[in-house]
Amino acid sequence: MLIPDRVNELLDQYTFENSEKYIRYALKWYGIYENREFYADCYSNAALGYYYSICRCAYCDYSYVERYIRKMIRITIICGINTSKEVESICRENNLKAISFDELYGIDNRY
């Protein structure tokens, strides 16, 4: 089976809607709610983690796809948390204020 066919098969079998439920659960578990400034970053990173997992599992022909997806979602959320903490730390040390492009251009990216 060709890899693109396998990717489509996995996308059909492990839909994003089901993984999105887990993403929202994991975000709440880590204490990241919609009112936090880095919620959107963590959510989009987790979504990219889902798509990465699908492609990786198709390429490597893994059989434990759902567990791999959940693991990557957790990893991407933790990376988002650490990145936001590092940005806060750098801003505090240098007397700066972090501004996102969405905030700068008045984009409301609540889901």
Side-chain angles (χ1 to χ4, degrees):
M1 179 178 282
L2 296 174
I3 292 174
D5 295 335
R6 178 73 174 142
V7 168
N8 289 331
E9 178 185 316
L10 292 177
L11 284 170
D12 290 339
Q13 190 174 359
Y14 303 96
T15 63
F16 179 74
E17 288 75 21
N18 289 336
S19 292
E20 184 181 29
K21 292 174 188 173
Y22 182 74
I23 289 171
R24 292 187 187 281
Y25 166 80
L27 287 168
K28 286 180 183 173
W29 194 86
Y30 284 107
I32 303 170
Y33 299 98
E34 290 186 37
N35 62 345
R36 304 284 300 267
E37 58 274 352
F38 56 92
Y39 175 87
D41 288 337
C42 288
Y43 181 92
S44 63
N45 288 346
L48 289 173
Y50 160 78
Y51 288 112
Y52 167 81
S53 299
I54 292 291
C55 293
R56 182 71 180 168
C57 289
Y59 179 75
C60 296
D61 200 27
Y62 292 152
S63 60
Y64 46 89
V65 178
E66 189 169 356
R67 289 181 302 192
Y68 194 91
I69 290 170
R70 288 178 177 231
K71 182 73 167 183
M72 287 307 299
I73 286 171
R74 288 192 308 268
I75 288 170
T76 57
I77 290 172
I78 291 169
C79 288
I81 292 168
N82 289 334
T83 302
S84 69
K85 287 181 179 178
E86 189 170 334
V87 167
E88 288 175 12
S89 176
I90 291 170
C91 288
R92 189 173 40 254
E93 289 174 4
N94 295 296
N95 199 24
L96 301 170
K97 179 185 177 201
I99 298 176
S100 69
F101 284 114
D102 294 344
E103 181 183 352
L104 187 62
Y105 293 106
I107 299 170
D108 184 16
N109 59 5
R110 285 178 277 163
Y111 297 94

